[in-house]
Amino acid sequence: MNATDSPLLSRSMIAVICAQFLSAFGDNALLFATLALIKQQMYPDWSQPILQMAFVATYIILAPFVGQVADSFAKGRVMMMANGLKLAGALVICFGLNPFLGYSLVGVGAAAYSPAKYGILGEITSGEKLVKANGLMEASTIAAILVGSVAGGLLADWHIVAALAVCALVYGAAVVANLYIPRLPAAHKVTSWHPRAMGSNFFNACVVLWRDGQTRFSLIGTSLFWGAGVTLRFLLVLWVPVALGITDNATPTLLNAMVAIGIVGGAGAAARFVTLETVRRCMPAGILIGVAVAFFAVQTTMLNAYVLLLAIGVLGGFFVVPLNALLQERGKRSVGAGNAIAVQNLGENTAMLLMLGLYSLVVKLGVPVVGVGIGFGVVFALAITVLWVSQFRAK
């Protein structure tokens, strides 16, 4: 049975979704546990985004290599090894070593994991099922963000070392879960493992994808989305004590959870109403994300914050799922799914690095958090509008 004929919820898909849930749970619980740790160790506020910047920098540095590795081996086994690296990074933090070093090691594992986890979707399903498979992947990821973020914050309020130990155990479970993903044949063999040759291949893949109007559209859209998403997460950490007067670790995670719940709903709606042929339907949702963030920044009550963050999540899921599916489908036919996701990761994480760097700078300069939120939302809405208009002109 080939990918087209197999049911959406095949054994392979169930194994991938379970492994992804555990890995993403660990990622998000570890972030908030580590943020609590560096707060306890009296690092300055502006250093919090630096933690995430160290994480995303690994994606950028390893981008020329991880996609080719994912396409050259069984992707399930690549995912297993990547989760092993995440486990090692969590143990570094758990045993009291430098948290920035440990979280960077988790970033190395995540950089290797991403092309394999998305690339495998194009190997176990295809066509219109690919959008639905991406919806399942995003729903699993966001459910893990929801549970992992809340668990990380609550456990950190109770005992930080215990929170870190739970993260390590979850990564261990993810390694075991990866063993149940069937060993699929390699998509493309690397002709040379020399770094210069691999770099050249990656550069060629970048050129191919950026010259294609559809994949360029997807790359820009997803990069803007994830750069904005990671910045919003850190914005919440500083916004909560200013706007709500709450200083615990759990409240920002609960607010992040509302975004996660919304993304699950938005991903489901995208799978139902958007196809690869009608992918532009997602663009108004992207513009409304920026508008909603600007309104959110001026709120002072918990209820309004919950409602707006839920709406931001719904809009985000509806926006990003079709763009991911478009890139995977077209990238698989041109440069290989793993290479396509690696190029996407380069764009997304460069956007994250730049946005986090700018965010850290404005916080260090003392710009009020409300002003940061309003400016951030307006700029994001304008950027998505420009992208949408450029696509219509291209047609």
Side-chain angles (χ1 to χ4, degrees):
M1 181 180 291
N2 59 35
T4 303
D5 299 327
S6 63
L8 179 62
L9 287 176
S10 62
R11 177 194 169 197
S12 301
M13 178 63 71
I14 292 172
V16 168
I17 294 301
C18 290
Q20 167 60 13
F21 176 86
L22 290 167
S23 186
F25 178 101
D27 290 349
N28 289 275
L30 183 64
L31 172 62
F32 285 99
T34 308
L35 284 173
L37 177 66
I38 64 176
K39 185 189 297 184
Q40 182 188 67
Q41 295 179 348
M42 304 299 291
Y43 284 89
D45 286 343
W46 59 264
S47 70
Q48 293 180 4
I50 302 299
L51 183 72
Q52 190 72 30
M53 290 170 68
F55 182 89
V56 301
T58 61
Y59 275 83
I60 297 171
I61 295 168
L62 296 175
F65 312 110
V66 291
Q68 296 176 71
V69 170
D71 282 338
S72 297
F73 298 97
K75 290 183 173 60
R77 296 303 180 264
V78 174
M79 293 165 69
M80 182 180 69
M81 295 301 297
N83 278 324
L85 289 171
K86 292 183 180 183
L87 172 59
L91 290 174
V92 166
I93 302 172
C94 192
F95 284 107
L97 301 178
N98 188 288
F100 294 91
L101 174 64
Y103 204 63
S104 296
L105 183 56
V106 175
V108 172
Y113 188 81
S114 183
K117 79 174 182 182
Y118 281 113
I120 201 171
L121 295 181
E123 297 179 2
I124 60 180
T125 188
S126 63
E128 294 310 313
K129 289 179 183 175
L130 187 55
V131 177
K132 293 180 171 61
N134 271 272
L136 285 174
M137 177 68 83
E138 292 300 330
S140 172
T141 302
I142 299 308
I145 291 172
L146 168 63
V147 181
S149 297
V150 173
L154 291 174
L155 285 170
D157 278 338
W158 172 60
H159 197 287
I160 291 176
V161 175
L164 294 170
V166 168
C167 296
L169 288 173
V170 171
Y171 282 136
V175 171
V176 174
N178 285 131
L179 293 172
Y180 292 90
I181 299 175
R183 187 187 293 271
L184 301 172
H188 301 282
K189 286 293 185 182
V190 172
T191 56
S192 172
W193 290 102
H194 192 282
R196 181 176 295 178
M198 295 181 74
S200 177
N201 288 338
F202 178 74
F203 176 77
N204 291 335
C206 290
V207 170
V208 170
L209 294 175
W210 278 93
R211 282 181 176 173
D212 183 303
Q214 293 292 307
T215 52
R216 182 173 63 248
F217 169 62
S218 174
L219 289 168
I220 296 173
T222 57
S223 295
L224 288 171
F225 175 80
W226 288 113
V230 74
T231 307
L232 177 62
R233 171 172 285 190
F234 284 90
L235 180 65
L236 280 174
V237 173
L238 296 186
W239 179 87
V240 166
V242 171
L244 304 179
I246 300 172
T247 58
D248 62 14
N249 294 305
T251 300
T253 67
L254 292 171
L255 291 170
N256 269 290
M258 295 307 296
V259 180
I261 292 170
I263 290 181
V264 173
R272 173 67 178 84
F273 297 110
V274 182
T275 67
L276 294 176
E277 288 72 31
T278 61
V279 72
R280 288 181 185 82
R281 290 179 182 176
C282 72
M283 298 306 290
I287 297 170
L288 290 173
I289 290 171
V291 175
V293 169
F295 274 103
F296 167 79
V298 299
Q299 302 307 311
T300 56
T301 65
M302 186 73 80
L303 177 61
N304 288 347
Y306 275 127
V307 171
L308 279 168
L309 288 171
L310 180 66
I312 289 168
V314 171
L315 294 167
F318 194 84
F319 175 72
V320 78
V321 165
L323 294 179
N324 278 337
L326 177 66
L327 180 67
Q328 290 160 24
E329 179 68 19
R330 296 183 72 91
K332 180 177 68 173
R333 297 199 302 259
S334 57
V335 299
N339 260 332
I341 300 303
V343 174
Q344 182 184 40
N345 283 341
L346 176 63
E348 290 176 359
N349 287 279
T350 300
M352 290 182 195
L353 195 64
L354 292 174
M355 290 188 190
L356 284 171
L358 180 60
Y359 172 74
S360 183
L361 176 62
V362 296
V363 169
K364 189 172 183 179
L365 291 175
V367 177
V369 67
V370 172
V372 174
I374 293 172
F376 166 73
V378 170
V379 170
F380 183 82
L382 290 174
I384 299 299
T385 301
V386 170
L387 178 62
W388 193 16
V389 170
S390 69
Q391 272 303 107
F392 275 114
R393 289 181 175 176
K395 293 294 287 184

